[in-house]
Every structure is written in structure tokens, then in C-alpha cells.
Amino acid sequence: MNDYENAIEISGLTKRYDGFTLDNLSFNAAKGSIMGFIGQNGAGKTTTIKAILNIIKADEGSVKLLGMDSVTEEIPIKERIAAVFDEIPFHDEFTAKNLDVILGDIYKNWDTQTFDKYLDRFALPRKKKIGKFSKGMKMKLQIACALSHGAELLIMDEATTGLDPVVRNEILDIFLEYIQDENHSIFMSSHITSDLEKVADSVTFIDKGKLLLTGYKDEVLENHGVIKCGKNDYKEIAAEDIVSARLTDFGAEVMVSDKAACKRKYSGLVMDNTTLEEIMVFYVNREKKEWR
């Protein structure tokens, strides 16, 4: 059942719309890990997730989930994965008690005891209508449902957006617990990069439907750096070393993608470590090269 290396394998995924193209995406998310899927709003994150889940049909390319083809083996895949969206898919009139019955009919491996455990842990009422739940409660309910049928892969689309920091931390802790089982994997899109810095093992950045970079989070952070320098020093930095540069009144902040080489090459300049958020901002502006 679990003889696959990558929880997700995407090859040449393409989807064309009028005015937007998801353009030839290829990347893998390793089994037993959390991959953060990063991009600004409109980058194509939700389109990618819908294509992964076969909610929309890709024009080209292939997706494998848990070693199975997402189109030809969609039904067995759906038994073994769970998806959580930023908007709750359940009717406002339902209660948690109703969902226990409904989902018990849908999933072979539905476990009422596990569901009850999460309802207690999240302090979610059994008989209150979902329409009266706060945003945080709705997200916790979706996650309780996702974790109660033995899913091996959780796919999250902006699952922590709009939640307060306390609730976000609580949910991130549950993700870290879930991933303790080496057969469990999480793929989570977010533009809250600080959340992904806490929990992700690997990251994939997309912008305007194109892949910018993918790799282990620590390596991505280790490889990138920001040189802060005056205008004269900035002129000395070779164009091929620069991702993009933020110009200031005093000089420039320059993102480089090979920190070690640039430290040797420009040893007189100050090189700072960077964050996923900064990397995203500098890459999004890479076509301009220089920006303010």
C-alpha cells in the first residue's frame, strides 16, 4: 500500500485559461514530509491544487498521488487523501454530529472515535449549526474531518489564512504531530510564509503560473542571501549573481541565489540571511531586476 517514494509527483502540469496559464509545472513532494506551496495571490496555487485533485482537468501533464495516477485511479486516491480549503464545504445547517454520520457513509475508514477526540481537543460543539461557527472553528472542523478517515496525504489550500496566531499555532502543532507517522505527508499552500518557515521541510514557489524554485526549505534559505550596500558597491555586483535588487535612497538590497560564492566574491560587503517572504518578494520582482 505504501510503496511510493513521493506523496505527490507533478510532471509538465499545464492548464490554460483566458489571461492565465499554469505553465508546465514539475515538482515532487516527498513522502513523510510537509511541503509549503508558496506564491502571492493569483500565482496559480489554487488552480494547481484543483488540478492535483482532478477538480479541474489539466490540458497537459500528469499528477501522481501516493504513487497512483490522479485521473485513472481517482476513486482509490480519494479514500486515502484529505483536502482542506479556506472556505468550508459543508452546509450551514449541518452540525458536527450530522457530519459524523454523513462522512461515515462516504469513507470506508471513517473513525468516529478519532473524530470525537478532535472535536474535544478543538472544543467544537456537537449540536451547534456550522453556520454559527467562527472562521477558526470552521477550519478546525474541516481539519478534524480530514484527520478522521486515515488519510495519508493532507492537501491544504490557504488553511491558516484569516486565523488568529493562537489558532494558527494550534493547527500547525497538529500538522507536526500528524507527520510523526512516516507514511503521512502534507502539501500546504499559503502566503503566510512564517507558518511554513515553522513547519515545512521543503518549499515550492510559483509566480504567474510558473515554477520559480523548489527544494528543501533549509537549503533554499541557506543558498539565498541579501547584500546591503551603497550605490558604488552595487555597481560592482555582476548581473548574473543578482535575483533582483531593491533600490533605496542610500544604495541597494540585493538578493543573491548562491550565498557562499557571493561571500567569497564580494567579501567586503555585508551579507544577511534571508526569509521565505523576502525570497518570494525578490523573485516576484526578478523581471524588473531593479525595484523600490
Side-chain angles (χ1 to χ4, degrees), residues 155-205:
I155 296 177
M156 311 272 167
D157 189 17
E158 300 285 1
T160 54
T161 302
L163 303 180
D164 69 61
V166 176
V167 175
R168 290 214 322 267
N169 276 326
E170 199 179 343
I171 287 170
L172 294 176
D173 283 344
I174 284 187
F175 291 167
L176 289 171
E177 261 173 50
Y178 170 81
I179 216 79
Q180 294 306 306
D181 182 327
E182 62 192 21
N183 290 316
H184 287 170
S185 313
I186 297 178
F187 180 75
M188 59 185 292
S189 86
S190 184
H191 56 263
I192 305 174
T193 48
S194 57
D195 284 355
L196 298 177
E197 252 167 47
K198 278 182 201 155
V199 300
D201 302 292
S202 59
V203 290
T204 295
F205 281 86

Side-chain angles (χ1 to χ4, degrees), residues 61-122:
S62 66
V63 176
K64 278 189 165 181
L65 301 178
L66 314 180
M68 297 183 283
D69 183 275
S70 67
V71 178
T72 60
E73 298 173 276
E74 182 174 10
I75 292 168
I77 284 172
K78 294 276 166 84
E79 274 288 338
R80 291 170 57 190
I81 70 170
V84 175
F85 295 96
D86 64 341
E87 289 298 325
I88 194 158
F90 310 125
H91 198 283
D92 279 352
E93 291 297 308
F94 287 162
T95 64
K97 213 170 156 73
N98 297 148
L99 290 182
D100 184 30
V101 175
I102 293 163
L103 296 174
D105 285 340
I106 292 171
Y107 291 109
K108 285 189 211 130
N109 296 325
W110 180 258
D111 188 335
T112 294
Q113 264 182 311
T114 302
F115 186 57
D116 272 339
K117 183 187 83 179
Y118 280 113
L119 292 182
D120 288 341
R121 182 167 176 180
F122 287 145

